[in-house]
Amino acid sequence: MFQRFVVGMGIAVFMFIAGVTYFYFNKGEAIATEAAHSKKPAAEEETAAKAVIQESFRQKTPERKLSAYKSMSEEALVQEVHNMTHQKVAANEKWGASEITKEKVDALYSAISNQTFADTELQDMLLSILKPWKKGDFSNAVKAHNEIWAYQKGNIGKAERRLTPSEEAAYIKENFK
């Protein structure tokens, strides 16, 4: 009787180990296969998102919008740059959105350069934000947002990080398309 019990337990343990081993290796293979396949769509999604961002940056801006920058007040120019940073940053609150285009960046830079600001430090800050943007470099977006946010005495909505290309593409589609 005891021998049958031991043999039965041995068979049960063997079956359990075989089942766990089979599941582990097959599940592991399935996970590895799934990961390999998921990299391709993620890469394709990233490429598509970058294309949406580039298309947005290159699009034409109505001339009336560009020429309006020349007569905007300092505060309106600050707000326009601030609203543009929202396209690039993650923050818990955002009020206002302005699509970033090459033409807008160039027109803003020109308008700010050609105005006589009462606060020259503010003018310098805006120009230093926009200068790399003219070349399509937005690596300063979080710093830019938070400098403007601090200048405006913000207490809600500090930028925490740059949006991923997919997040930015979604922001563009939601706010400008």
Side-chain angles (χ1 to χ4, degrees), residues 47-136:
T47 300
K50 288 177 181 179
V52 168
I53 295 165
Q54 283 300 317
E55 178 186 326
S56 172
F57 187 64
R58 288 191 301 256
Q59 79 176 0
K60 294 291 182 195
T61 304
E63 181 55 41
R64 68 185 184 289
K65 177 76 172 172
L66 300 175
S67 62
Y69 291 147
K70 295 175 187 174
S71 59
M72 278 185 170
S73 68
E74 291 176 19
E75 292 306 312
L77 291 167
V78 168
Q79 191 59 51
E80 179 68 0
V81 176
H82 185 178
N83 290 346
M84 290 170 83
T85 65
H86 290 165
Q87 179 180 319
K88 297 287 181 183
V89 302
N92 60 355
E93 295 285 339
K94 296 180 188 180
W95 295 285
S98 182
E99 190 170 18
I100 299 173
T101 69
K102 173 90 170 105
E103 290 178 334
K104 285 169 74 174
V105 170
D106 290 342
L108 272 168
Y109 190 89
S110 177
I112 293 167
S113 295
N114 293 321
Q115 277 195 25
T116 305
F117 273 57
D119 181 351
T120 57
E121 287 182 25
L122 174 62
Q123 185 176 24
D124 291 342
M125 177 184 73
L126 293 173
L127 292 173
S128 71
I129 289 168
L130 293 169
K131 188 172 184 177
W133 291 14
K134 290 170 62 65
K135 298 174 187 165

Side-chain angles (χ1 to χ4, degrees), residues 33-47:
T33 302
E34 184 179 309
H37 290 293
S38 69
K39 285 182 183 177
K40 188 174 181 183
E44 290 173 5
E45 181 181 319
E46 197 76 5
T47 300

